[in-house]
Every structure is written in C-alpha cells, then in structure tokens.
Amino acid sequence: MAGTTLDDYTDRYARRVRGMTASEIRALFAVASRPEVVSLAGGAPYIAALPLDAVGEMLGRLGSEHGATTLQYGIGQGTLELREGICEVMALSGIDAACGASPDDVVVTVGGQQALDLVARLFLDPGDVVLAEGPTYVGALGVFQAAQAQVVHVPMDSDGLIPEALETAIAEQARAGRRVKFLYTIPTYQNPAGVTLTEERRERVLDICERAGLLVIEDDPYGQLGFEGEAPAPLRARRREGVFYLSTFSKTFAPGLRVGWILAPHAVRDKLVIASEAQILCPSGFAQAAVATYLNTMPWREQLKVYREVYRERRDALLDALADLMPAGTSWTRPGGGLFVWATLPDGLDSKAMMPRAVAARVAYVPGTGFYADGSGGGHMRLNFSFPPPERIREGVRRLAGVMEQEIATRQVFGAVRGEGPRRRAGSDAPGPALA
C-alpha cells in the first residue's frame, strides 16, 4: 500500500531523528569481522600488544579486593585518582600545570565519543555551524548531526588544515548570516587523513579563531602514537582560553573500558558535569579504577613505545604494499603516527560504489563518503593499519588493487574514465591538491 513504512513509529520521532543514518564504518562491522576478510576498515588498536596476563590479574584484584568501591556508584566528574593520572598523561604532550592543566578542570567521560556529545550539548543550537576539517572523524559528524548543526568542511593538504581556507570559511558564513560556534579539529595524526598540522599553522589557526571569537575543540586520540619523533605540542598547550582538549584511553590502553576525558576552561567544567550526570549519572567506577591502577602500577610509558613500534611496522607494510601494488593514478598520505592512511583513487573510481566488489574479493576499507557531512569524498578511502599483521596488510592491498584494476578495465570498455589521458604514478611522497 502506498505510503506505508516498515517503521510504525516514523510519525512519532523527534525532528532531530530525521536523517539519522548508520555510519559507513558501523555498516561495515559485520562484514569486516569475518575471518576470511582482510579488514583495512576499522580503527581497532592491537590489544594483543598489551601484557594481557598482568592486565587480567589487575582486573581480577579490582573486583575481588576492591569491589565494594569499584563496583559502586561514583561522582559525575570522575574520581580524583584518575583525573590526577590524566594530568600526568597530558603532561607528556606539554599540557601541564604551567599552562593551566588541573585535575579540577578534567571531566571523565565514557570514551572520547561522550566527550564530543557533551560539548555539542553545551554549545550547539539547531542551525548552528561547526567548522571541521574535510575529511573529518565520522563519529563527530554523527554527534553534530544529532545536535541539528550544519558542518562546513575546511580543506586540508599534507600540512593539515589550511589557515587561508579557514579564514575564507569564517568570512563566508558571516556573510550568509550563519552563526559559527566552534572549530572541531584533529590536528595530530588526523582521522581519517593521517596528516599533522604543522607548528607554524597551529599558531595561525589559533590566532584566526581567537580573532573570530570561535571556540576550538581539539580532539587528540592519537597524539602519543607518533613514529617519527615528537609531535607538535597540542593546541591546548599553547592557549588556555577557548580551547577544549578531548582525548581517550581507547587508543593507548583499552577501548573496551570506554574511558576518555575533557580538559575544559574552568567556567565550563560544572556545566559539563551536570550534562554528563543527566546522560549517564556517573562514569563506570570499575573502568576508572582499571585505568587509574594501570597508570599507577604498570609501565604504561614503555607500553606506548611498544604500540609505536608495532604501528610503525604496520604503517610501513601498508605504504610499501601501496607503492608496489596500487594502479597508476592512486595517491596516499604518509602518516607520521596514528592509525590511518587516506588514499585517493584514480579518476573515475568511486570508493562507495566499489565497496561490494571489494567485499566479494574479501577485503574491506571505509569509503571516503563517510567522512564528509554532504556525502562527498567518493574518490577517496580510509585504510587502517593498526590491527592486521604486516603480511595480512599486504594481502589486503593485493586484493584491493585487483578490484581497482578490474574497475578501471571495466570503465575503459564500457565508458571513458573521467580525466582520461596520460597518468603519472603518484605515491606517498608526491605533492598533491588539498584533501577534498
């Protein structure tokens, strides 16, 4: 019957639910988890690199010896012990007491995702504009969509967010009469592009936002996972006011514990706690105790070095395989840390349209469309290197390259490939246009 729907509740949903869709990544989980599929899709850390026996014993003691407290309700801001540990972790990146970092201004969250949601709840009204790198983290796009905000992407290149493009975006929104609330940025080992904002650009971006009166939401899940020396100091280490620093233990310890945090300006701290209590009452006492005990009793700094070495080896395996196997016209970023490579396809290929054939060939990636609010980005894909071992990474690239070669051949037979003409082999060190 015309007008019917499989969802009997369609006319009862709130307006903010309209347009709510599953992310590109979540839709891939069922396929990518099959053992026969080489998954270059998700962003899962390599948990097997942890001393799992010692971690298991620690968790057992937390339950058997301290269960009366760790399994009880807690306070909305998070335990003081963990907040002090978080400050110690941030100090490694230069966010210390000298720049105003204090346990009093840390709010513990259920992973970095709740941190994003709390910021959106506090600052976004329907119709507000968020400026974000293009491409950007798919989970952030979901949060901003749920807040009924409009995301306007600012282009990047191999040096990160382009300051001139940021100035242009701010001016355009002002001329259109739209209210821009903040810049959301992942300046270090960006997800999905893998690029890092340079020292010089960090100061310029902060100056631009300060002049425009924009808040800066700095998301930094990967900053301590660098492979080639120290990363530039976070934005929050440079400016105290107007910069919110978000991070998580999901990439450096255990994502299953779901522990993250926000370092916020002091005036906002209480509102964040109130908003968090309205959502979850309090973060898990057991998960907080697990992270705090890990920081207090285990060599977590050495574990960071282990992760860096593991991920460096796997990044190199991916980059080598791409250079050896990808068809002409493909290019990609060369990340100095983090978990991801951003690849640009030969002209005429569409990563979303190609995905079913890749799955049939038993390889998975994330189409670039998932990282843009407007669904663009079909000429790109995100490749993860943190989870599969090097030999599986190479096999995955071999399968993926085969799919791409078939796509190119099919288009040459049944229709001209867009931009047809002589092609130059593009690799990770080849200069290229902005990531758009």
Side-chain angles (χ1 to χ4, degrees):
M1 187 171 64
T4 61
T5 175
L6 294 176
D7 187 348
D8 294 335
Y9 299 90
T10 298
D11 60 348
R12 305 188 186 202
Y13 288 129
R15 283 191 295 271
R16 61 181 170 273
V17 175
R18 297 172 187 171
M20 187 179 290
T21 58
S23 76
E24 302 280 356
I25 296 176
R26 188 161 71 87
L28 285 169
F29 277 168
V31 170
S33 62
R34 297 175 188 168
E36 70 274 15
V37 174
V38 178
S39 177
L40 305 174
Y46 187 57
I47 295 299
L50 285 169
L52 292 177
D53 288 347
V55 171
E57 292 176 6
M58 178 193 78
L59 295 176
R61 289 194 302 272
L62 287 176
S64 62
E65 299 176 14
H66 306 285
T69 54
T70 61
L71 300 177
Q72 187 55 273
Y73 286 118
I75 62 173
Q77 187 175 357
T79 67
L80 176 59
E81 180 184 25
L82 178 56
R83 288 185 280 120
E84 289 174 341
I86 286 170
C87 286
E88 186 178 351
V89 171
M90 290 192 295
L92 284 184
S93 302
I95 304 175
D96 55 20
C99 61
S102 162
D104 288 343
D105 296 331
V106 171
V107 178
V108 177
T109 60
V110 182
Q113 194 67 18
Q114 194 210 3
L116 277 170
D117 190 71
L118 290 175
V119 170
R121 284 173 181 266
L122 258 60
F123 291 105
L124 294 179
D125 289 315
D128 283 346
V129 172
V130 174
L131 300 181
E133 294 141 343
T136 194
Y137 169 50
V138 63
L141 291 177
V143 167
F144 302 148
Q145 178 192 57
Q148 298 176 276
Q150 177 185 356
V151 176
V152 173
H153 290 293
V154 181
M156 294 186 291
D157 59 19
S158 58
D159 289 331
L161 187 73
I162 302 172
E164 294 81 3
L166 176 61
E167 289 182 307
T168 299
I170 293 171
E172 288 177 348
Q173 295 306 306
R175 284 195 296 271
R178 301 190 186 100
R179 183 167 61 168
V180 181
K181 281 294 185 69
F182 55 72
L183 169 67
Y184 170 72
T185 178
I186 312 169
T188 306
Y189 315 135
Q190 203 254 6
N191 178 8
V195 301
T196 296
L197 190 65
T198 61
E199 285 278 2
E200 183 265 343
R201 285 192 180 182
R202 289 178 185 236
E203 293 296 334
R204 291 175 64 193
V205 165
L206 285 168
D207 288 342
I208 291 167
C209 290
E210 188 173 310
R211 288 195 299 269
L214 291 189
L215 300 176
V216 176
I217 311 302
E218 178 179 20
D219 200 356
D220 189 27
Y222 314 103
Q224 295 182 348
L225 296 176
F227 314 143
E228 299 168 351
E230 295 298 321
L235 303 178
R236 179 57 181 80
R238 303 159 189 268
R239 304 285 171 93
R240 180 183 304 192
E241 296 302 323
V243 180
F244 290 69
Y245 181 82
L246 283 56
S247 193
T248 177
F249 290 101
S250 291
K251 304 302 186 290
T252 57
F253 180 29
L257 290 173
R258 310 304 304 129
V259 177
W261 73 90
I262 307 174
L263 175 65
H266 187 75
V268 185
R269 190 264 330 263
D270 285 346
K271 290 182 174 59
L272 285 168
V273 173
I274 292 169
S276 182
E277 289 173 339
Q279 279 186 322
I280 62 166
L281 191 60
C282 62
S284 163
F286 188 85
Q288 291 182 82
V291 176
T293 304
Y294 175 75
L295 295 175
N296 289 333
T297 65
M298 292 193 181
W300 58 272
R301 294 176 183 82
E302 295 302 315
Q303 184 62 42
L304 286 176
K305 296 177 183 178
V306 171
Y307 274 133
R308 290 172 190 144
E309 290 301 319
V310 169
Y311 296 154
R312 179 190 291 114
E313 179 188 26
R314 296 178 181 205
R315 177 209 60 179
D316 291 347
L318 177 57
L319 294 179
D320 289 346
L322 292 171
D324 292 343
L325 301 170
M326 278 287 115
T330 313
S331 62
W332 51 88
T333 57
R334 187 183 188 281
L339 308 182
F340 306 109
V341 165
W342 183 250
T344 300
L345 304 180
D347 286 348
L349 297 193
D350 185 296
S351 60
K352 189 169 185 178
M354 191 173 68
M355 189 67 203
R357 289 175 282 283
V359 171
R362 296 171 299 158
V363 62
Y365 58 84
V366 184
T369 51
F371 304 98
Y372 288 90
D374 60 0
S376 60
H380 308 271
M381 64 174 69
R382 192 191 75 177
L383 303 174
N384 167 257
F385 54 80
S386 62
F387 194 74
E391 64 275 10
R392 289 282 285 174
I393 289 174
R394 187 172 187 88
E395 174 59 19
V397 173
R398 186 192 68 78
R399 296 176 187 180
L400 180 56
V403 172
M404 292 169 63
E405 295 282 10
Q406 289 179 347
E407 290 284 298
I408 293 170
T410 300
R411 288 173 178 273
Q412 287 173 340
V413 171
F414 294 102
V417 177
R418 189 174 70 253
E420 194 174 71
R423 296 187 185 276
R424 176 179 60 82
R425 177 65 178 269
S428 59
D429 57 351
L435 299 166

